[in-house]
Amino acid sequence: MDLEIKGQRFIVCGASSGFGRAIAELLLDEGAHVIAVARREEKLNELQETYPDATDIVVGDLTDDDTHNNIEAAIGNEQLHGVVINAGGPPALSPLETALYDWDQAYENVMRWKVALVLRLVSYFTSKEYGRILFVESQSVKQPIASLVLSNSFRAGIVGFAKSLSQEIAGNGVTVNVLAPGSHDTPAIERVIQKKVDSSDKSYEEVKEEMEAAIPVGRFGKGEEIASLAGWVLSPHASYVTGQTISHDGGSIKGTFG
């Protein structure tokens, strides 16, 4: 399928690895222009070297207002067609393992910057009556994950924000959606596996094999698989899809509306 995004411009947050990198590469392969944002400059440089005429990079911490300023500077006077709000998750902790400090930090790292950046960017879309806002969160927004209470809590808050925003700007041709990925073979899964290792007498490989066996399809997902879904949601083909939280979990969520 031709996604019809050739020449369009997208911001991809967390583009140095994992979901962000996979989505950025798919968009670039489809002929789009990407403003890639992350902290690891060497990884962004690699992306730019591969797609030199279609990639701008912004190096910085997404929780920092200066990074948001630099993102706006990279947009310049060009039309912006979409943004992928994505970054790593908070530490793996159970409720009783947390202190208030952990909650304050998780709010900054998982929720606050996303709301702040989207509120900055909304007018770029509404003024042109076209836009795609896509959050990449976690299946924990539909089914809480043990020992991930901070992710369970603040990612659910993002879903509430996304749904509310989608209702307000749908008439302006702007969609707002959330992807809820389950376990994928990306660096982010390593902290979950290690948490299980630390609380058991099992090896890393044993824990990983058990986690994969518990997924109905029998394996972790791949970055390029969720990227293909993200590409469609970000495209003109998805103009009637908004306010949705779409699972990509290999059947892991047990609820009827998973």
Side-chain angles (χ1 to χ4, degrees), residues 197-213:
V197 170
D198 293 343
S199 60
S200 71
D201 58 357
K202 298 174 182 176
S203 70
Y204 184 96
E205 286 304 318
E206 287 174 324
V207 169
K208 182 179 179 181
E209 288 175 7
E210 287 183 1
M211 288 178 65
E212 290 190 292

mmCIF file with all atom_site columns, all heavy atoms in Angstrom, residues 197-213:
data_model
loop_
_atom_site.group_PDB
_atom_site.id
_atom_site.type_symbol
_atom_site.label_atom_id
_atom_site.label_alt_id
_atom_site.label_comp_id
_atom_site.label_asym_id
_atom_site.label_entity_id
_atom_site.label_seq_id
_atom_site.pdbx_PDB_ins_code
_atom_site.Cartn_x
_atom_site.Cartn_y
_atom_site.Cartn_z
_atom_site.occupancy
_atom_site.B_iso_or_equiv
_atom_site.pdbx_formal_charge
_atom_site.auth_seq_id
_atom_site.auth_comp_id
_atom_site.auth_asym_id
_atom_site.auth_atom_id
_atom_site.pdbx_PDB_model_num
ATOM 1   N N   . VAL A 1 197 ? 14.034 -11.351 36.720 1.00 0.00 ? 197 VAL A N   1
ATOM 2   C CA  . VAL A 1 197 ? 15.225 -12.118 37.092 1.00 0.00 ? 197 VAL A CA  1
ATOM 3   C C   . VAL A 1 197 ? 15.622 -11.819 38.530 1.00 0.00 ? 197 VAL A C   1
ATOM 4   O O   . VAL A 1 197 ? 15.920 -12.728 39.317 1.00 0.00 ? 197 VAL A O   1
ATOM 5   C CB  . VAL A 1 197 ? 16.391 -11.807 36.135 1.00 0.00 ? 197 VAL A CB  1
ATOM 6   C CG1 . VAL A 1 197 ? 17.696 -12.408 36.659 1.00 0.00 ? 197 VAL A CG1 1
ATOM 7   C CG2 . VAL A 1 197 ? 16.096 -12.322 34.737 1.00 0.00 ? 197 VAL A CG2 1
ATOM 8   N N   . ASP A 1 198 ? 15.601 -10.539 38.874 1.00 0.00 ? 198 ASP A N   1
ATOM 9   C CA  . ASP A 1 198 ? 16.022 -10.119 40.215 1.00 0.00 ? 198 ASP A CA  1
ATOM 10  C C   . ASP A 1 198 ? 15.122 -10.653 41.324 1.00 0.00 ? 198 ASP A C   1
ATOM 11  O O   . ASP A 1 198 ? 15.550 -10.794 42.469 1.00 0.00 ? 198 ASP A O   1
ATOM 12  C CB  . ASP A 1 198 ? 16.064 -8.587  40.297 1.00 0.00 ? 198 ASP A CB  1
ATOM 13  C CG  . ASP A 1 198 ? 17.150 -7.984  39.418 1.00 0.00 ? 198 ASP A CG  1
ATOM 14  O OD1 . ASP A 1 198 ? 18.063 -8.730  39.016 1.00 0.00 ? 198 ASP A OD1 1
ATOM 15  O OD2 . ASP A 1 198 ? 17.063 -6.778  39.113 1.00 0.00 ? 198 ASP A OD2 1
ATOM 16  N N   . SER A 1 199 ? 13.871 -10.941 40.982 1.00 0.00 ? 199 SER A N   1
ATOM 17  C CA  . SER A 1 199 ? 12.925 -11.410 41.994 1.00 0.00 ? 199 SER A CA  1
ATOM 18  C C   . SER A 1 199 ? 12.691 -12.916 41.927 1.00 0.00 ? 199 SER A C   1
ATOM 19  O O   . SER A 1 199 ? 11.733 -13.434 42.494 1.00 0.00 ? 199 SER A O   1
ATOM 20  C CB  . SER A 1 199 ? 11.593 -10.676 41.847 1.00 0.00 ? 199 SER A CB  1
ATOM 21  O OG  . SER A 1 199 ? 11.032 -10.913 40.565 1.00 0.00 ? 199 SER A OG  1
ATOM 22  N N   . SER A 1 200 ? 13.560 -13.617 41.186 1.00 0.00 ? 200 SER A N   1
ATOM 23  C CA  . SER A 1 200 ? 13.420 -15.065 41.065 1.00 0.00 ? 200 SER A CA  1
ATOM 24  C C   . SER A 1 200 ? 14.800 -15.704 41.047 1.00 0.00 ? 200 SER A C   1
ATOM 25  O O   . SER A 1 200 ? 15.822 -15.024 41.143 1.00 0.00 ? 200 SER A O   1
ATOM 26  C CB  . SER A 1 200 ? 12.660 -15.418 39.787 1.00 0.00 ? 200 SER A CB  1
ATOM 27  O OG  . SER A 1 200 ? 13.456 -15.169 38.643 1.00 0.00 ? 200 SER A OG  1
ATOM 28  N N   . ASP A 1 201 ? 14.822 -17.018 40.909 1.00 0.00 ? 201 ASP A N   1
ATOM 29  C CA  . ASP A 1 201 ? 16.097 -17.735 40.788 1.00 0.00 ? 201 ASP A CA  1
ATOM 30  C C   . ASP A 1 201 ? 16.329 -18.209 39.354 1.00 0.00 ? 201 ASP A C   1
ATOM 31  O O   . ASP A 1 201 ? 17.108 -19.123 39.099 1.00 0.00 ? 201 ASP A O   1
ATOM 32  C CB  . ASP A 1 201 ? 16.137 -18.931 41.746 1.00 0.00 ? 201 ASP A CB  1
ATOM 33  C CG  . ASP A 1 201 ? 14.988 -19.918 41.500 1.00 0.00 ? 201 ASP A CG  1
ATOM 34  O OD1 . ASP A 1 201 ? 14.140 -19.641 40.622 1.00 0.00 ? 201 ASP A OD1 1
ATOM 35  O OD2 . ASP A 1 201 ? 14.947 -20.950 42.199 1.00 0.00 ? 201 ASP A OD2 1
ATOM 36  N N   . LYS A 1 202 ? 15.659 -17.542 38.415 1.00 0.00 ? 202 LYS A N   1
ATOM 37  C CA  . LYS A 1 202 ? 15.740 -17.930 37.012 1.00 0.00 ? 202 LYS A CA  1
ATOM 38  C C   . LYS A 1 202 ? 16.744 -17.060 36.258 1.00 0.00 ? 202 LYS A C   1
ATOM 39  O O   . LYS A 1 202 ? 17.013 -15.922 36.644 1.00 0.00 ? 202 LYS A O   1
ATOM 40  C CB  . LYS A 1 202 ? 14.372 -17.841 36.353 1.00 0.00 ? 202 LYS A CB  1
ATOM 41  C CG  . LYS A 1 202 ? 13.345 -18.773 36.983 1.00 0.00 ? 202 LYS A CG  1
ATOM 42  C CD  . LYS A 1 202 ? 11.960 -18.552 36.408 1.00 0.00 ? 202 LYS A CD  1
ATOM 43  C CE  . LYS A 1 202 ? 10.942 -19.453 37.084 1.00 0.00 ? 202 LYS A CE  1
ATOM 44  N NZ  . LYS A 1 202 ? 9.569  -19.201 36.615 1.00 0.00 ? 202 LYS A NZ  1
ATOM 45  N N   . SER A 1 203 ? 17.249 -17.597 35.179 1.00 0.00 ? 203 SER A N   1
ATOM 46  C CA  . SER A 1 203 ? 18.187 -16.846 34.349 1.00 0.00 ? 203 SER A CA  1
ATOM 47  C C   . SER A 1 203 ? 17.436 -15.894 33.431 1.00 0.00 ? 203 SER A C   1
ATOM 48  O O   . SER A 1 203 ? 16.215 -15.992 33.270 1.00 0.00 ? 203 SER A O   1
ATOM 49  C CB  . SER A 1 203 ? 19.022 -17.811 33.502 1.00 0.00 ? 203 SER A CB  1
ATOM 50  O OG  . SER A 1 203 ? 18.206 -18.416 32.502 1.00 0.00 ? 203 SER A OG  1
ATOM 51  N N   . TYR A 1 204 ? 18.186 -14.998 32.814 1.00 0.00 ? 204 TYR A N   1
ATOM 52  C CA  . TYR A 1 204 ? 17.604 -14.041 31.868 1.00 0.00 ? 204 TYR A CA  1
ATOM 53  C C   . TYR A 1 204 ? 16.893 -14.780 30.739 1.00 0.00 ? 204 TYR A C   1
ATOM 54  O O   . TYR A 1 204 ? 15.760 -14.452 30.375 1.00 0.00 ? 204 TYR A O   1
ATOM 55  C CB  . TYR A 1 204 ? 18.712 -13.141 31.323 1.00 0.00 ? 204 TYR A CB  1
ATOM 56  C CG  . TYR A 1 204 ? 18.243 -12.036 30.406 1.00 0.00 ? 204 TYR A CG  1
ATOM 57  C CD1 . TYR A 1 204 ? 18.013 -10.751 30.901 1.00 0.00 ? 204 TYR A CD1 1
ATOM 58  C CD2 . TYR A 1 204 ? 18.044 -12.263 29.038 1.00 0.00 ? 204 TYR A CD2 1
ATOM 59  C CE1 . TYR A 1 204 ? 17.589 -9.731  30.060 1.00 0.00 ? 204 TYR A CE1 1
ATOM 60  C CE2 . TYR A 1 204 ? 17.615 -11.260 28.200 1.00 0.00 ? 204 TYR A CE2 1
ATOM 61  C CZ  . TYR A 1 204 ? 17.390 -9.989  28.708 1.00 0.00 ? 204 TYR A CZ  1
ATOM 62  O OH  . TYR A 1 204 ? 16.961 -8.996  27.870 1.00 0.00 ? 204 TYR A OH  1
ATOM 63  N N   . GLU A 1 205 ? 17.558 -15.784 30.176 1.00 0.00 ? 205 GLU A N   1
ATOM 64  C CA  . GLU A 1 205 ? 16.971 -16.522 29.054 1.00 0.00 ? 205 GLU A CA  1
ATOM 65  C C   . GLU A 1 205 ? 15.732 -17.295 29.473 1.00 0.00 ? 205 GLU A C   1
ATOM 66  O O   . GLU A 1 205 ? 14.760 -17.388 28.713 1.00 0.00 ? 205 GLU A O   1
ATOM 67  C CB  . GLU A 1 205 ? 18.013 -17.475 28.446 1.00 0.00 ? 205 GLU A CB  1
ATOM 68  C CG  . GLU A 1 205 ? 19.074 -16.765 27.619 1.00 0.00 ? 205 GLU A CG  1
ATOM 69  C CD  . GLU A 1 205 ? 18.470 -15.922 26.500 1.00 0.00 ? 205 GLU A CD  1
ATOM 70  O OE1 . GLU A 1 205 ? 17.518 -16.390 25.848 1.00 0.00 ? 205 GLU A OE1 1
ATOM 71  O OE2 . GLU A 1 205 ? 18.963 -14.804 26.270 1.00 0.00 ? 205 GLU A OE2 1
ATOM 72  N N   . GLU A 1 206 ? 15.752 -17.862 30.676 1.00 0.00 ? 206 GLU A N   1
ATOM 73  C CA  . GLU A 1 206 ? 14.569 -18.589 31.153 1.00 0.00 ? 206 GLU A CA  1
ATOM 74  C C   . GLU A 1 206 ? 13.374 -17.660 31.290 1.00 0.00 ? 206 GLU A C   1
ATOM 75  O O   . GLU A 1 206 ? 12.248 -18.002 30.894 1.00 0.00 ? 206 GLU A O   1
ATOM 76  C CB  . GLU A 1 206 ? 14.870 -19.259 32.495 1.00 0.00 ? 206 GLU A CB  1
ATOM 77  C CG  . GLU A 1 206 ? 15.785 -20.463 32.401 1.00 0.00 ? 206 GLU A CG  1
ATOM 78  C CD  . GLU A 1 206 ? 16.176 -21.013 33.761 1.00 0.00 ? 206 GLU A CD  1
ATOM 79  O OE1 . GLU A 1 206 ? 16.356 -20.212 34.703 1.00 0.00 ? 206 GLU A OE1 1
ATOM 80  O OE2 . GLU A 1 206 ? 16.306 -22.238 33.888 1.00 0.00 ? 206 GLU A OE2 1
ATOM 81  N N   . VAL A 1 207 ? 13.596 -16.485 31.858 1.00 0.00 ? 207 VAL A N   1
ATOM 82  C CA  . VAL A 1 207 ? 12.515 -15.520 32.022 1.00 0.00 ? 207 VAL A CA  1
ATOM 83  C C   . VAL A 1 207 ? 11.988 -15.076 30.659 1.00 0.00 ? 207 VAL A C   1
ATOM 84  O O   . VAL A 1 207 ? 10.773 -14.999 30.430 1.00 0.00 ? 207 VAL A O   1
ATOM 85  C CB  . VAL A 1 207 ? 12.978 -14.305 32.852 1.00 0.00 ? 207 VAL A CB  1
ATOM 86  C CG1 . VAL A 1 207 ? 11.946 -13.188 32.801 1.00 0.00 ? 207 VAL A CG1 1
ATOM 87  C CG2 . VAL A 1 207 ? 13.248 -14.714 34.291 1.00 0.00 ? 207 VAL A CG2 1
ATOM 88  N N   . LYS A 1 208 ? 12.891 -14.793 29.740 1.00 0.00 ? 208 LYS A N   1
ATOM 89  C CA  . LYS A 1 208 ? 12.476 -14.356 28.408 1.00 0.00 ? 208 LYS A CA  1
ATOM 90  C C   . LYS A 1 208 ? 11.645 -15.426 27.719 1.00 0.00 ? 208 LYS A C   1
ATOM 91  O O   . LYS A 1 208 ? 10.598 -15.138 27.109 1.00 0.00 ? 208 LYS A O   1
ATOM 92  C CB  . LYS A 1 208 ? 13.704 -14.015 27.563 1.00 0.00 ? 208 LYS A CB  1
ATOM 93  C CG  . LYS A 1 208 ? 13.356 -13.507 26.171 1.00 0.00 ? 208 LYS A CG  1
ATOM 94  C CD  . LYS A 1 208 ? 14.611 -13.143 25.370 1.00 0.00 ? 208 LYS A CD  1
ATOM 95  C CE  . LYS A 1 208 ? 14.239 -12.671 23.973 1.00 0.00 ? 208 LYS A CE  1
ATOM 96  N NZ  . LYS A 1 208 ? 15.440 -12.341 23.160 1.00 0.00 ? 208 LYS A NZ  1
ATOM 97  N N   . GLU A 1 209 ? 12.082 -16.674 27.804 1.00 0.00 ? 209 GLU A N   1
ATOM 98  C CA  . GLU A 1 209 ? 11.346 -17.767 27.170 1.00 0.00 ? 209 GLU A CA  1
ATOM 99  C C   . GLU A 1 209 ? 9.957  -17.918 27.779 1.00 0.00 ? 209 GLU A C   1
ATOM 100 O O   . GLU A 1 209 ? 8.976  -18.153 27.055 1.00 0.00 ? 209 GLU A O   1
ATOM 101 C CB  . GLU A 1 209 ? 12.130 -19.072 27.315 1.00 0.00 ? 209 GLU A CB  1
ATOM 102 C CG  . GLU A 1 209 ? 13.370 -19.138 26.430 1.00 0.00 ? 209 GLU A CG  1
ATOM 103 C CD  . GLU A 1 209 ? 14.199 -20.379 26.677 1.00 0.00 ? 209 GLU A CD  1
ATOM 104 O OE1 . GLU A 1 209 ? 13.738 -21.261 27.454 1.00 0.00 ? 209 GLU A OE1 1
ATOM 105 O OE2 . GLU A 1 209 ? 15.297 -20.487 26.101 1.00 0.00 ? 209 GLU A OE2 1
ATOM 106 N N   . GLU A 1 210 ? 9.843  -17.771 29.099 1.00 0.00 ? 210 GLU A N   1
ATOM 107 C CA  . GLU A 1 210 ? 8.543  -17.867 29.758 1.00 0.00 ? 210 GLU A CA  1
ATOM 108 C C   . GLU A 1 210 ? 7.619  -16.727 29.327 1.00 0.00 ? 210 GLU A C   1
ATOM 109 O O   . GLU A 1 210 ? 6.420  -16.931 29.113 1.00 0.00 ? 210 GLU A O   1
ATOM 110 C CB  . GLU A 1 210 ? 8.717  -17.862 31.282 1.00 0.00 ? 210 GLU A CB  1
ATOM 111 C CG  . GLU A 1 210 ? 9.273  -19.155 31.841 1.00 0.00 ? 210 GLU A CG  1
ATOM 112 C CD  . GLU A 1 210 ? 9.348  -19.133 33.360 1.00 0.00 ? 210 GLU A CD  1
ATOM 113 O OE1 . GLU A 1 210 ? 8.949  -18.102 33.963 1.00 0.00 ? 210 GLU A OE1 1
ATOM 114 O OE2 . GLU A 1 210 ? 9.806  -20.137 33.941 1.00 0.00 ? 210 GLU A OE2 1
ATOM 115 N N   . MET A 1 211 ? 8.182  -15.518 29.214 1.00 0.00 ? 211 MET A N   1
ATOM 116 C CA  . MET A 1 211 ? 7.380  -14.368 28.785 1.00 0.00 ? 211 MET A CA  1
ATOM 117 C C   . MET A 1 211 ? 6.867  -14.567 27.368 1.00 0.00 ? 211 MET A C   1
ATOM 118 O O   . MET A 1 211 ? 5.700  -14.279 27.074 1.00 0.00 ? 211 MET A O   1
ATOM 119 C CB  . MET A 1 211 ? 8.209  -13.083 28.887 1.00 0.00 ? 211 MET A CB  1
ATOM 120 C CG  . MET A 1 211 ? 8.469  -12.617 30.310 1.00 0.00 ? 211 MET A CG  1
ATOM 121 S SD  . MET A 1 211 ? 9.506  -11.123 30.367 1.00 0.00 ? 211 MET A SD  1
ATOM 122 C CE  . MET A 1 211 ? 8.439  -9.919  29.562 1.00 0.00 ? 211 MET A CE  1
ATOM 123 N N   . GLU A 1 212 ? 7.720  -15.065 26.488 1.00 0.00 ? 212 GLU A N   1
ATOM 124 C CA  . GLU A 1 212 ? 7.291  -15.277 25.107 1.00 0.00 ? 212 GLU A CA  1
ATOM 125 C C   . GLU A 1 212 ? 6.240  -16.391 25.018 1.00 0.00 ? 212 GLU A C   1
ATOM 126 O O   . GLU A 1 212 ? 5.274  -16.291 24.248 1.00 0.00 ? 212 GLU A O   1
ATOM 127 C CB  . GLU A 1 212 ? 8.498  -15.608 24.227 1.00 0.00 ? 212 GLU A CB  1
ATOM 128 C CG  . GLU A 1 212 ? 9.418  -14.418 24.005 1.00 0.00 ? 212 GLU A CG  1
ATOM 129 C CD  . GLU A 1 212 ? 10.462 -14.667 22.947 1.00 0.00 ? 212 GLU A CD  1
ATOM 130 O OE1 . GLU A 1 212 ? 11.354 -15.503 23.184 1.00 0.00 ? 212 GLU A OE1 1
ATOM 131 O OE2 . GLU A 1 212 ? 10.387 -14.024 21.888 1.00 0.00 ? 212 GLU A OE2 1
ATOM 132 N N   . ALA A 1 213 ? 6.413  -17.425 25.823 1.00 0.00 ? 213 ALA A N   1
ATOM 133 C CA  . ALA A 1 213 ? 5.463  -18.531 25.803 1.00 0.00 ? 213 ALA A CA  1
ATOM 134 C C   . ALA A 1 213 ? 4.086  -18.102 26.295 1.00 0.00 ? 213 ALA A C   1
ATOM 135 O O   . ALA A 1 213 ? 3.064  -18.686 25.904 1.00 0.00 ? 213 ALA A O   1
ATOM 136 C CB  . ALA A 1 213 ? 5.986  -19.684 26.657 1.00 0.00 ? 213 ALA A CB  1
#
